Amino acid sequence: MIETGTDVVYAATLLRRGELVAIPTETVYGLAANALDSNAVMKIYATKKRPTFNPLIVHVAETNDIGKYAADIPLNMWRLAERFSPGPLTYVLPRKAIIPDVVTGGGDTVALRVPAHPMARELLSLIDFPLAAPSANPSGYISPVTAAHVAQELGGQIPYVLDGGECTVGLESTVVAFDGDRVLVLRAGGITLEALQEVCPQVEMRTGASAGSPGLLKSHYAPRTRLVVGNLARLADEYAGQKLAVLALSDFPRGDNIVSSEILAPNGDLALAARHLFAAMRRLDASGADLIIAERMPERGFGIAINDRLDRASAE
Ligand code: TXA
Ligand code: MG
């Protein structure tokens, strides 16, 4: 059995020794190691079975720590950080030499984030190094939003899961890069495009394989059960002969062949839907259905990030 608890001092001790610890953040649980210790970081890739070309996010205690690990920081980053850090926003910046190659996939940029979860912040305040941490799921599977999710999949492989309760955002951080005055969104996530635009008017989506975010593999966040995304009434009709699990925003068509269903937000609130998404996908995946049919969300606010995760989950 994997050990789960709330002992932040113990977690810090393990990390100092070069061990891995799963940690809560406000977005999803992370699989953390000392970002300045290449051997410790290598264990992350091995445990997740993650390809080493896919770089990791480095978590720091304070916005001001970003300057220890990144160079040539643009004014737009400070503007965004003033508003959104600590929080679910990650900045891709030119790296300083102190960051090992294994963290960046050998590239010349490093992704940095200041998490807002109180337990993550307390942990970071106890150690004198930053934490490299991808989501704490096996590569390609749904990100964990509770300590129990982590224990289910990484049980026996890591010494400790720090339990900080259920993640309040429920989706990974938004990842941004900078090009002149432009803010390039490499991954939609916990901060919406609209919110970014309030601070920096020139915001552009750069998602997909060409984004320069090597981790944005097409198939990702995938349940083991096949998943299709679209209009629910149409999908229910098309797959009438199969045992269906339904993932809906606020309502769905009834039918005898529906074996399981999840409503993400009865009031249609997309932020609430984001918070419930990954846990709902896991329950549907365990329901014994032949197929999960998922409703495409409105393409605004958190709907953009949810649709991105659903599209990846449906990729073959
Ligand atoms: O909310 C989150 O971001 C969570 C928590 C634990 O902080 N972490 C997370 O990490 O989602 P991960 O590894 O699952 O996703 C990080 C994404 C990947 O798509 C990766 O390719 C991208 O960030 N990334 C990391 N470093 C990058 C870099 N230097 N340039 C471009 N993309 C980068
Ligand atoms: Mg991930």
Side-chain angles (χ1 to χ4, degrees):
M1 250 307 274
I2 197 167
E3 211 189 323
T4 296
T6 57
D7 191 342
V8 183
V9 173
Y10 178 54
T13 305
L14 288 169
L15 289 163
R16 274 188 214 105
R17 279 191 213 142
E19 301 288 342
L20 302 186
V21 176
I23 63 164
T25 83
E26 71 279 21
T27 58
V28 301
Y29 274 73
L31 183 59
N34 177 352
L36 306 183
D37 177 346
S38 297
N39 289 326
V41 173
M42 292 286 280
K43 293 182 187 171
I44 295 179
Y45 289 95
T47 302
K48 276 183 64 96
K49 302 194 170 58
R50 177 181 176 111
T52 48
F53 61 77
N54 187 2
L56 305 176
I57 295 175
V58 174
H59 299 72
V60 296
E62 307 288 340
T63 299
N64 277 331
D65 294 334
I66 291 173
K68 294 186 196 165
Y69 309 109
D72 304 323
I73 299 173
L75 194 55
N76 271 344
M77 193 226 71
W78 296 113
R79 289 200 185 102
L80 291 173
E82 195 175 299
R83 178 81 159 266
F84 300 116
S85 293
L89 186 59
T90 296
Y91 312 101
V92 173
L93 298 162
R95 91 198 239 205
K96 282 192 173 166
I98 185 173
I99 296 290
D101 276 341
V102 54
V103 170
T104 67
D108 51 13
T109 58
V110 59
L112 289 151
R113 175 163 107 80
V114 190
H117 193 291
M119 214 178 239
R121 302 207 70 200
E122 193 188 335
L123 177 62
L124 284 165
S125 78
L126 292 177
I127 54 184
D128 57 5
F129 48 84
L131 292 176
S135 51
N137 49 283
S139 190
Y141 193 59
I142 304 165
S143 296
V145 292
T146 66
H149 291 161
V150 180
Q152 272 158 34
E153 279 139 22
L154 300 182
Q157 295 191 68
I158 56 174
Y160 198 55
V161 182
L162 197 55
D163 187 351
E166 195 167 336
C167 301
T168 53
V169 176
L171 281 181
E172 299 83 352
S173 61
T174 297
V175 179
V176 295
F178 301 91
D179 182 18
D181 286 337
R182 294 181 307 161
V183 175
L184 310 177
V185 177
L186 306 185
R187 177 176 72 183
I191 300 292
T192 65
L193 259 70
E194 293 90 333
L196 294 174
Q197 261 153 3
E198 283 172 25
V199 179
C200 295
Q202 293 190 58
V203 175
E204 290 174 27
M205 284 293 277
R206 279 297 162 87
T207 52
S210 61
S213 200
L216 299 181
L217 307 173
K218 216 165 157 243
S219 171
H220 211 110
Y221 309 101
R224 277 138 198 148
T225 313
R226 191 178 155 224
L227 180 146
V228 290
V229 52
N231 174 286
L232 285 182
R234 216 171 297 147
L235 290 172
D237 205 42
E238 186 176 345
Y239 296 102
Q242 300 197 35
K243 274 196 300 181
L244 299 181
V246 180
L247 183 67
L249 177 56
S250 55
D251 196 18
F252 62 91
R254 310 288 139 163
D256 292 340
N257 59 331
I258 293 174
V259 296
S260 172
S261 61
E262 294 283 342
I263 294 214
L264 293 177
N267 62 357
D269 176 18
L270 292 167
L272 196 64
R275 187 184 308 164
H276 294 152
L277 178 70
F278 287 151
M281 280 171 67
R282 282 168 182 268
R283 286 190 296 268
L284 294 177
D285 199 13
S287 71
D290 301 325
L291 180 72
I292 300 170
I293 60 171
E295 179 172 3
R296 185 171 299 285
M297 303 291 144
E299 198 64 16
R300 62 179 153 74
F302 285 95
I304 295 171
I306 297 173
N307 287 339
D308 168 77
R309 303 307 186 271
L310 292 176
D311 282 333
R312 285 174 206 285
S314 72
E316 296 290 320

